[in-house]
Amino acid sequence: MKTTTSRLMALLPSCSSTQNVTRTAMKILRRRTIIFITAAIVSIGAKAQQTCDTPDRSIYLEILGASNIVGINYDARFKANSPWGYRIGVGYTYSKQYSIFSGSNSLKGPDIPVEINYLLGKKNSKLDLGFGLNLGYYTEKYDTWDIKQTGEVDGTPYYESEYAGEAKHSLWGYYFFGNIGYRYQPTHGFQFRIGISPSFNLGGKHAVDKGFFPYVSFGYVL
């Protein structure tokens, strides 16, 4: 009986062997858990880093300002979390004047505003400062007049102007502009801008005189 019992006890695992197996299994489980958690943290960190490394980009509709009448603009930071950025857009110009001396004169056509800007402020509300160039291709229409002699008194000729119809031609135009305004820009969602846009030129036949224009824009941060 003692022999049989001894044989059975020999076949059964000892208490110390069971503890060793348990310890080994726990070590493997801990290692796998640490590896899994580490991989999850690295994955989340990589996604967060990728999101943070993406510069803010927005598209907005601008009324007046550098777009003249109305325009669509794309705006972006040069790099993530940078206050420096740029905008480029497509606008439309239309103006008409009338004088009792020269008649009517109108100018219309597409234009392209390009600007370097700087956003001052750490939260969503920012001071929007910028400087840029607007290039346009316009069609100008204007009244023409002929000067004809209508008579002569004591050797002095008298002239009067006679309407000769409307003429038109196409031309390139340019002006430089500034931007001073307020910008509401979150990291994602609705964007709002309002301010003034002074302008000037360096002269020449392609220079456009514009002066100060206010502006307002509504857009979306991508």
Side-chain angles (χ1 to χ4, degrees):
M1 186 69 181
K2 288 182 179 179
T3 304
T4 304
T5 304
S6 299
R7 289 176 181 175
L8 288 174
M9 292 297 295
L11 292 174
L12 292 174
S14 65
C15 182
S16 59
S17 276
T18 304
Q19 290 177 352
N20 289 336
V21 171
T22 303
R23 288 195 189 102
T24 302
M26 291 298 294
K27 287 181 181 179
I28 294 173
L29 182 60
R30 281 197 298 267
R31 288 175 185 173
R32 291 182 178 179
T33 302
I34 292 171
I35 291 172
F36 174 78
I37 294 174
T38 303
I41 292 173
V42 170
S43 176
I44 294 172
K47 290 181 179 179
Q49 184 69 24
Q50 184 178 3
T51 301
C52 293
D53 287 346
T54 302
D56 290 339
R57 298 165 298 152
S58 62
I59 296 176
Y60 58 83
L61 174 72
E62 182 178 59
I63 301 172
L64 300 179
S67 295
N68 293 322
I69 297 298
V70 65
I72 297 291
N73 293 266
Y74 173 81
D75 181 283
R77 302 300 91 198
F78 286 115
K79 60 182 180 178
N81 302 319
S82 172
W84 289 99
Y86 67 93
R87 73 100 166 247
I88 183 169
V90 177
Y92 182 76
T93 298
Y94 179 80
S95 66
K96 189 171 184 178
Q97 299 177 342
Y98 181 82
S99 169
I100 59 174
F101 300 104
S102 60
S104 65
N105 182 291
S106 66
L107 189 73
K108 63 180 180 180
D111 59 83
I112 300 176
V114 181
E115 174 191 299
I116 301 296
N117 52 49
Y118 184 87
L119 300 181
L120 182 62
K122 295 183 178 180
K123 296 185 179 180
N124 294 342
S125 294
K126 304 177 187 295
L127 177 63
D128 191 348
L129 303 174
F131 179 78
L133 170 68
N134 185 296
L135 295 173
Y137 187 69
Y138 311 114
T139 298
E140 183 180 23
K141 292 183 179 181
Y142 51 92
D143 292 337
T144 60
W145 303 82
D146 289 336
I147 305 299
K148 294 184 177 182
Q149 183 176 345
T150 58
E152 184 176 329
V153 177
D154 297 330
T156 303
Y158 286 86
Y159 299 90
E160 69 176 21
S161 59
E162 184 178 277
Y163 180 67
E166 186 180 68
K168 67 177 182 178
H169 69 279
S170 298
L171 71 158
W172 289 95
Y174 83 94
Y175 63 86
F176 297 98
F177 65 89
N179 172 35
I180 305 171
Y182 165 81
R183 180 189 294 209
Y184 173 78
Q185 178 156 319
T187 55
H188 184 75
F190 174 75
Q191 180 200 70
F192 173 75
R193 299 168 60 252
I194 188 169
I196 59 172
S197 178
S199 67
F200 69 95
N201 60 66
L202 302 178
K205 65 178 181 179
H206 296 289
V208 175
D209 293 322
K210 183 181 175 184
F212 279 77
F213 261 59
Y215 69 84
V216 62
S217 76
F218 306 92
Y220 191 83
V221 181
L222 304 174

